[in-house]
């Protein structure tokens, strides 16, 4: 078995690689990261250098004062813990449910499946403001207000339709024949799914997991209405307390943004290997 | 299992697999949505709790007569089409580049997600600052490069505000496309490329005739989902321009949000959002119908 | 198949059960007959400073039978949280707000406790200045729903160094204001005269130049809006022309919000700014004490109007401990506490003779000018559509007038219709 994809890469000339790979990549990165770099630079500028008519690209006297006052002001560890619980809970819960539903829709033909999928989608077409009050009432009657579970449930239900659709798309792109050939070998539908489709879909599932995780990591409106105490408030709510009615402290805000993005990036680095791993082809041909 | 024969299992299992997701959604959100639909037929203002009652199609008629509704609808079409289009093209490009093996692309795979990961408030505020006419980075760089001769108030002009907002949306949404399409590309079996190469296919031909057809289901679903997501995206425009200047970046989602908040007239806001849902539904059905015809879904 | 089902089923059940057990456990209400727990929702502009927390600690120490639990609410989500939980009947006992439209919205929603009986028995009520109560009820014969604590009247900040350089005096009238704005725009390199706020929140600024021409009245005797009167339209045209005709504001004015106008003044982009005391510290830090001049809002035909920016405490109708809640509200709005709050959190307490309680309000020049400005600081009238006017109709139509999509007459007609509730 040759290494997956593009075995011919070795033959590419250096020039090709520059034009086909490094140059576009650098342009993409410039566009994507420019505001981020500006955020990081701002977070280490002293307050007097942040807004100036003649823009200073680099701080003259770099400082960590914003980070210090950030950690003094916000109980970051608690927010992290809460966000981590809520986001991973929502991600795992909705991934399990969506995988199962998407598999059903992708691999079986039965009446009403298209209808259900469409119904799922309408949910994402509704503005959240209008759903807040009834949802609030539901969570209150279940005694779930101000708990992780309220957010996990809210995020999961909101993410499941998207994930179902996404996973259905991915499953559809994996040829049925692979499973069928497995089933000829005596596997049941379920076994064929677990042994053949699931490994092939690992990158897709990793991507979906990241999607839900990031959505939950950044969601604000549900978070601010369904939680009150420090014990269950998530990072975006904590960060938002830094933006006052009459004060916008760029230093604190940018420092907070940098700090709160790091965990999600680190997590992604771990998940990444599932997205590129050559798990796939070996299992297919085996 | 459950004493069912295999054919029976085969009949029941798809429903059972679908059931947990269905229950989770129906249990939590069906009632709130039902409430919103009912509200759209009611005079329902939080500020007039005593006056709540059915008014038939009153809210819908009001929407049709509302000039801002039509303006927002037109803006929504422009905003969604342009943002999703550019997000897809650029995201696909990025995914293709990242799919090649190199140290830089491994690093980039982690970095590219940052626009999506940083808190939405911060992203919107940063861009508003970058676009600032007087002390924003964009004008400064363009002036230094000699591309501009005078400062442009990007977010304050009817002819540039929409482009600025679209650019920001593309920035935030591109990583999603890149991620999803990259995951799709991983699943393209190698032997297909090998076969194509043996037939003497060039790179762009491989892309067009091997890669694209295989990941077409992924392309269709991601763009479809993104259309819906973008049409409902409130935060960025609300934080950057609040629909301004005037109504030049007012899209239906933001208009609904602002109407619900500032007037507390939930009945009217619900009618506005049902219109949006119907339009989206129309788009979705056309899209899916087309995809079915082509045998993609 | 079986295995698959089992994985899905067990996984789902496990996730549900474990999360319920883990997180829903500690929700039971603490049973305590002695101490009444009061929840307070409030946003703070400087959550990193200790003053407000200190105040709450002091209350709790002085009142062993009441425990105030302060929950800091982010400004950006406060309105959504308050409306949702008030309607659903599960809000905090005491809520703070600083936006007049919220008061009328909450009161119309029927979710606030009328406070007349409490206020009647509260000796401290007399120490609050009379006009402050205007924002606490729909009309003088209607119930009181909130207790005012502070006000943030706007005044004029100007670049004292530039004014001296150009030989200008602080503008007393709108004519002098325009003159100064023109001179700054022409003679100071890269600067504009006035930092106009064209985005949401700029309503009061425009009204400062419009309402004085109609005797500071919003409505005529027949209930029609004064915005249709020719003198109001002319005044609005004058204000719009600062941008369109004279170009004395930055070209970004139509989308400039609160942070842009503050940053514009602090970075030397603009020479004059209408804002309140909360930004004073930042101006001094950025420009130095000598460069920051302040003056009362310029007059129009001898009259002045500024937005009062009143802050209130209200009690939720569904509160279980209204007596204790009012004990807290009355305590924090009494002169001593209000003065402490005003000095350190930043605002002008609405108590009689505040400078006798706390000399700072006479000594500090910003506080003094703000306190003097309370003489012509007004609450907007109590109308149901105030939020719609302030947050939606004003920014959209004002911006359209600025960029020339509609005429000033059309803009004022839109405003008139909104405030009339049509």
């Amino acid at each position: 078995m040759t290494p997956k994809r593009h075995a011919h890469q070795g033959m590419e000339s250096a020039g090709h690689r520059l034009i086909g790979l490094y140059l576009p990549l650098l342009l993409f990165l410039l566009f994507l990261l420019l505001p981020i770099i500006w955020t990081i630079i701002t977070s280490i500028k002293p307050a007097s250098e942040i807004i100036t008519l003649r823009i200073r690209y680099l701080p003259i006297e770099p400082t960590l004062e914003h980070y210090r006052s950030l950690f003094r002001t916000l109980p970051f560890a608690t927010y992290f813990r809460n966000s981590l619980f809520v986001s991973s809970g929502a991600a795992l819960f909705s991934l399990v449910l969506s995988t199962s539903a998407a598999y059903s829709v992708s691999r079986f033909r039965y009446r009403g499946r298209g209808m259900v999928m469409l119904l799922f989608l309408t949910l994402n077409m509704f503005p959240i403001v209008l759903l807040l009050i009834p949802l609030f009432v539901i969570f209150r009657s279940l005694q779930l207000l101000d708990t992780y579970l309220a957010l996990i449930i809210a995020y999961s239900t909101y993410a499941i339709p998207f994930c179902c659709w996404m996973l259905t798309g991915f499953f559809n792109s994996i040829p049925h024949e692979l499973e069928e050939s497995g089933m000829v070998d005596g596997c049941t539908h379920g076994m064929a799914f677990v042994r053949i489709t699931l490994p092939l879909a690992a990158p897709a599932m990793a991507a979906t997991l990241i999607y839900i995780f990031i959505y939950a990591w950044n969601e604000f409106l549900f978070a601010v209405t369904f939680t009150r105490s420090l014990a269950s408030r998530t990072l975006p709510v904590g960060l938002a307390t830094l933006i006052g009615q009459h004060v916008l402290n760029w230093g604190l805000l940018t420092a907070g943004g940098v700090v709160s993005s790091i965990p999600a990036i680190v997590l992604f680095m771990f998940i990444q290997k599932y997205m590129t791993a050559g798990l796939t082809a070996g299992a297919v041909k085996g | 299992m459950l004493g069912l024969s295999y054919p029976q299992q085969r009949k029941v299992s798809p429903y059972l697999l679908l059931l947990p997701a269905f229950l989770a959604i129906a249990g939590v959100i069906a009632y709130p949505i039902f409430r919103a639909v009912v509200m759209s037929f009611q005079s329902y203002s939080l500020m007039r709790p005593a006056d709540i009652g059915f008014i038939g199609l009153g809210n819908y008629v009001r929407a049709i007569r509302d000039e801002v509704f039509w303006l927002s609808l037109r803006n929504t079409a422009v905003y969604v089409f342009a943002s999703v289009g550019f997000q897809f093209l650029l995201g696909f490009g990025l995914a293709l580049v990242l799919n090649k093996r190199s140290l830089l692309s491994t690093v980039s795979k982690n970095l590219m997600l940052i626009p999506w990961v940083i808190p939405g408030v911060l992203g919107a505020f940063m861009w508003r600052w970058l676009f600032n006419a007087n002390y924003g980075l964009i004008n400064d760089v363009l002036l230094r490069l000699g591309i501009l001769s005078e400062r442009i108030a990007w977010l304050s002009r009817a002819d540039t505000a929409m482009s600025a907002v679209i650019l920001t949306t593309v920035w935030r949404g591109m990583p999603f496309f890149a991620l999803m399409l990259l995951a799709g590309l991983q699943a393209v079996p190698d032997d297909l490329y090998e076969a194509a190469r043996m037939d003497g296919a060039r790179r762009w031909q491989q892309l067009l005739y091997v890669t694209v057809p295989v990941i077409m289901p992924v392309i269709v679903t991601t763009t479809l989902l993104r259309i819906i997501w973008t049409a409902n995206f409130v935060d960025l425009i609300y934080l950057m321009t609040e629909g301004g200047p005037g109504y030049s970046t007012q899209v239906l989602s933001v208009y609904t949000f602002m109407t619900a908040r500032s007037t507390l007239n939930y009945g009217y806001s619900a009618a506005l959002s049902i219109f949006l849902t119907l339009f989206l539904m129309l788009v979705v059905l056309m899209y899916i119908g087309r995809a079915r015809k082509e045998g993609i879904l | 198949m079986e295995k698959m089902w089992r994985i899905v089923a067990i996984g789902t059940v496990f996730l549900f059960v474990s999360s319920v057990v883990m997180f829903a456990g500690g929700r039971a209400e603490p049973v305590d007959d002695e101490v009444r727990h009061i929840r307070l929702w409030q946003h703070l502009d400087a959550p990193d400073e200790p003053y407000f927390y200190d105040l709450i600690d002091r209350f709790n120490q002085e009142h062993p039978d009441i425990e105030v639990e302060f929950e800091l609410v982010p400004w950006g989500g406060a309105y959504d949280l308050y409306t949702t939980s008030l309607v659903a009947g599960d809000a905090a006992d005491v809520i703070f707000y600083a936006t007049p439209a919220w008061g009328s919205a909450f009161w119309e929603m029927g979710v606030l406790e009328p406070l007349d009986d409490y206020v009647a028995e509260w000796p401290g009520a007399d120490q609050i200045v009379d006009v402050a109560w205007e924002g606490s009820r729909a009309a003088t014969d209607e119930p009181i729903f909130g207790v005012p604590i502070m006000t943030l009247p706007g005044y004029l900040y100007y670049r004292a160094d530039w004014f001296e350089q150009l030989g200008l005096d602080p503008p007393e009238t709108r004519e002098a204001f325009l003159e100064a704005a023109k001179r700054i725009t022409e003679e100071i390199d890269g600067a504009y005269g006035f930092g106009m706020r064209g985005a949401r929140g700029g309503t009061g600024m425009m009204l400062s130049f419009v309402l004085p021409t109609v005797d500071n009245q919003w409505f005529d005797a027949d209930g029609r809006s004064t915005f249709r009167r020719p003198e109001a339209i002319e005044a609005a045209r004058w204000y719009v022309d600062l941008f369109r005709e004279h170009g004395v504001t930055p070209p970004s004015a139509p989308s400039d919000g609160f942070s842009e106008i503050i940053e514009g003044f602090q970075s030397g982009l603009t020479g004059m700014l209408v804002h309140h005391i909360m930004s004073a510290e930042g101006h001094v830090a950025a420009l130095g004490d000598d460069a920051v001049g302040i003056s009362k809002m310029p007059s129009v035909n001898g009259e002045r109007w500024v937005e009062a920016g009143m802050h209130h405490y209200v009690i939720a109708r569904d509160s279980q401990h209204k007596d204790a809640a009012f004990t807290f509200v009355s305590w924090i709005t009494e002169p001593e506490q209000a003065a402490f709050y005003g000095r350190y959190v930043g605002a002008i307490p609405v108590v009689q003779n505040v400078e006798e309680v706390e000399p700072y309000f006479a000594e500090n020049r910003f506080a003094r000018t703000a306190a003097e400005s309370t003489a012509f600081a007004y609450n907007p009238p109590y109308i149901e559509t105030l939020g719609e006017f302030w947050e939606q109709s004003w920014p959209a139509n004002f911006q359209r007038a600025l960029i020339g999509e509609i005429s000033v007459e059309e803009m004022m007609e839109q405003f008139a219709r909104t405030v009339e509730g049509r």
Side-chain angles (χ1 to χ4, degrees), chain C residues 169-248:
Chain C
D169 289 323
E172 274 291 309
T173 62
R174 81 166 183 186
E175 288 73 23
F177 172 84
L178 176 59
E179 183 56 28
K182 282 181 177 169
R183 293 276 310 275
I184 294 169
T185 311
E186 281 161 20
E187 295 177 42
I188 305 283
D189 190 33
Y192 295 91
F194 172 54
M196 177 188 277
R197 182 168 177 175
R200 193 160 56 102
T203 320
M205 241 170 264
M206 185 196 81
L207 292 180
S208 282
F209 289 104
V210 170
L211 282 173
T213 64
V214 286
D215 304 321
N216 292 341
Q217 294 301 311
W218 288 58
F219 295 101
D220 287 328
D222 58 359
R224 279 169 59 85
S225 164
T226 54
F227 292 156
R228 288 198 192 83
R229 286 213 224 147
E231 53 271 39
I233 293 172
E234 274 324 295
R237 190 187 317 284
W238 178 88
Y239 189 68
V240 168
D241 277 347
L242 292 177
F243 173 80
R244 284 186 70 80
E245 177 74 23
H246 305 296
V248 296

Side-chain angles (χ1 to χ4, degrees), chain A residues 95 201-211 268 271-272 274-275, chain B residues 179:
Chain A
L95 188 67
M205 298 188 48
T208 311
L209 193 77
I210 291 172
Y211 167 82
F268 182 61
I271 295 183
Q272 229 222 65
Y274 294 103
M275 294 196 52
Chain B
L179 180 74

